[in-house]
Amino acid sequence: MNMLSSLNLLASADLPSVAPRPGSFWLPTQASTGAAQTDLVFYFIYWVSVFFFILIVALMVYFVIRYRRRREGELPANQVTHNTTLEITWSAIPLVLVVIMFYLGFRGFIDLARPPRDSLDIRVEASKWAWWFNYPNGHGDNELHVPVDQPVRLTLESRDVIHSLYIPAFRIKKDAVPGRYNSVWFEAKAPGDYLLLCAEYCGTQHSDMYAKVVVHEPGKYEQWLENASDPFKTRTMAEVGELLYLKRCAGCHSIDGTANVGPSFKDIYGETAQFDDGSTATIEDNYIRESILYPQRKIVRGYGKDMPSFKGQLSDREITAIIEYIKQLSAHESGDADSLAAGTQESS
Ligand SMILES: [Cu+2]
C-alpha cells in the first residue's frame, strides 16, 4: 500500500453516526452502571490537582516577590531551618488524599475484574484494523450488540499486535494482547448507539479501527441476534455477499475502483490478475475462493501480504455469497468466466 492511498482513506473515512454525546464538561454521557464510580475517582483527583496547583503556584509567585533580594549583597535576615507543625501537616494531608485515591481506584479495579455471575459472554477478536464480536450462539459480527440492564463480559484476544478496546461512554478500556485472553465487563444502562475505539496505536489504519455499540431495549437483543444469525433467510445470495463485504472486506477493498490496502472489487470478475512472481490468473469463482482462504498463495502485483486468511471464519455458503456479490459489481453479466476473460462476450 502506498502512502497516498492511506491518506485518501483517512480523508474519506466515514465518521460513525455515534459521536460521543456530551455528559459533563470533560466526559461523555455516563451509559454504564460503573461510569459514575469511575468519574468520581477522576474528578476527585482532578479537583485535588486543581486546588494544589493554584495554591502552590500562587504561594510561589507571592514568595518570589515578597522575599526577593532588594539590594546588591543583601543576606536573608531570618532563615527558618524547620517547622515541625508545617512538616507534619504537609505530610499528613497528602497521605490522606493519596490513601483515598488508592482506595477509590482499587475498589473500581476490583469491581471491573469481577464480572457478575449472570454476565452475557461475548468474545472479541481484534486485528489490523477491525473488531469482531463472537456471540454465544456462534454468530460473528462487526458490531457489538448488547441488551440494556444486563452485565456483559467481553473476553478479548488479538490476531496480530496489541490493540485496546475502549468504550468512552461505558468508561471501560482493556488491551487485546496476542497470545492471551483479557476480560472486562460492563452493564449498559441506556439503550442507544455508542462508539467503540482502538486506544492502542497499532499501525497505519489505527484511526479507522472503531466499531458501533448498540444497546438494545429489553427483549430486542434476542430478536436482533436471531435475525443477524441467519442472513440467508431474508436475502438473496448477492445481498448476503454485500453484507459480508461491508462487515469483513470493506476496510481493505473498495467497490469504486480506488486501490486501498487491497485492490478494488469493481469490475474485476472475469479480468486477469497479475501476481508478484509474474504469473497471472483469471479472476473467477475458484480464484476468489482461494484468495479468501489462502491469500498468501498468490500475491497481486503491487500489494503486500496484508490480507488475512478467512479460513474457518466464513462458511462455504458465505464465500459463495461474496463471489456472487463480486460478480454483480462487474459490468459483465455473470456467466462463463473463461469466455468473459477472453473478451468474447460483452454486455452492459
Ligand atoms: Cu488497534
Side-chain angles (χ1 to χ4, degrees):
M1 180 193 56
N2 61 39
M3 202 56 205
L4 200 67
S5 67
S6 77
L7 285 177
N8 278 341
L9 190 89
L10 285 180
S12 67
D14 285 331
L15 276 174
S17 56
V18 284
R21 267 163 282 173
S24 60
F25 181 71
W26 295 116
L27 303 168
T29 180
Q30 299 176 345
S32 73
T33 52
Q37 158 84 5
T38 307
D39 291 4
L40 176 75
V41 187
F42 174 79
Y43 278 116
F44 180 69
I45 296 174
Y46 173 84
W47 285 116
V48 167
S49 307
V50 168
F51 176 78
F52 281 101
F53 175 78
I54 292 172
L55 180 73
I56 289 167
V57 171
L59 280 177
M60 210 169 66
V61 170
Y62 171 72
F63 287 165
V64 162
I65 295 167
R66 174 78 178 75
Y67 298 109
R68 72 189 186 280
R69 193 169 65 172
R70 286 155 214 261
R71 279 175 287 105
E72 188 65 26
E74 183 186 4
L75 294 173
N78 177 17
Q79 272 290 27
V80 178
T81 55
H82 73 272
N83 181 326
T84 310
T85 319
L86 204 57
E87 284 162 23
I88 290 178
T89 311
W90 79 41
S91 302
I93 293 180
L95 179 71
V96 170
L97 290 174
V98 169
V99 166
I100 295 175
M101 286 173 196
F102 175 80
Y103 172 73
L104 291 175
F106 189 66
R107 202 178 61 178
F109 174 80
I110 293 293
D111 283 350
L112 271 181
R114 287 189 315 191
R117 265 174 214 287
D118 59 342
S119 295
L120 173 69
D121 259 309
I122 297 175
R123 287 188 172 271
V124 184
E125 265 177 57
S127 63
K128 292 194 284 190
W129 288 277
W131 295 101
W132 194 250
F133 305 96
N134 288 307
Y135 294 84
N137 72 346
H139 174 62
D141 210 283
N142 66 337
E143 293 179 348
L144 176 59
H145 288 249
V146 299
V148 70
D149 297 332
Q150 145 118 50
V152 174
R153 179 171 70 166
L154 304 177
T155 303
L156 295 106
E157 59 191 296
S158 169
R159 281 166 67 187
D160 36 52
V161 299
I162 300 180
H163 302 273
S164 184
L165 178 139
Y166 179 33
I167 308 177
F170 297 169
R171 308 290 192 274
I172 58 164
K173 187 190 279 173
K174 194 81 186 178
D175 279 3
V177 182
R180 63 168 291 168
Y181 302 110
N182 274 348
S183 73
V184 65
W185 75 277
F186 61 86
E187 181 176 330
K189 61 176 193 183
D193 294 351
Y194 302 94
L195 187 59
L196 181 158
L197 304 144
C198 180
E200 181 71 53
Y201 181 66
C202 56
T204 45
Q205 250 98 280
H206 163 67
S207 55
D208 281 338
M209 193 168 162
Y210 52 75
K212 189 159 99 171
V213 181
V214 181
V215 177
H216 289 277
E217 312 211 341
K220 292 277 162 52
Y221 164 75
E222 290 75 13
Q223 208 178 317
W224 168 83
L225 189 59
E226 201 187 312
N227 281 337
S229 304
D230 191 2
F232 290 95
K233 221 193 281 181
T234 51
R235 295 177 181 84
T236 66
M237 282 305 246
E239 280 167 357
V240 174
E242 177 175 20
L243 207 68
L244 290 165
Y245 160 79
L246 289 172
K247 288 187 174 182
R248 315 219 66 172
C249 327
C252 297
H253 295 280
S254 82
I255 52 168
D256 62 3
T258 54
N260 193 337
V261 180
S264 176
F265 286 164
K266 184 172 194 250
D267 289 339
I268 60 165
Y269 195 83
E271 299 298 325
T272 304
Q274 316 258 356
F275 304 119
D276 262 352
D277 62 6
S279 61
T280 61
T282 300
I283 301 177
E284 41 68 59
D285 295 21
N286 283 306
Y287 168 71
I288 297 175
R289 185 185 165 85
E290 187 189 35
S291 296
I292 295 171
L293 298 177
Y294 308 100
Q296 310 300 333
R297 282 191 189 162
K298 299 191 175 93
I299 305 298
V300 179
R301 184 178 293 168
Y303 294 91
K305 297 187 178 181
D306 274 343
M307 173 143 170
S309 167
F310 287 90
K311 195 165 162 50
Q313 317 242 339
L314 292 171
S315 67
D316 282 348
R317 198 147 71 123
E318 287 173 327
I319 291 174
T320 310
I322 292 174
I323 294 171
E324 284 304 322
Y325 174 63
I326 291 178
K327 245 188 221 175
Q328 218 182 51
L329 292 173
S330 297
H332 311 284
E333 288 294 314
S334 55
D336 180 0
D338 289 336
S339 60
L340 284 173
T344 54
Q345 185 186 328
E346 285 292 339
S347 49
S348 65

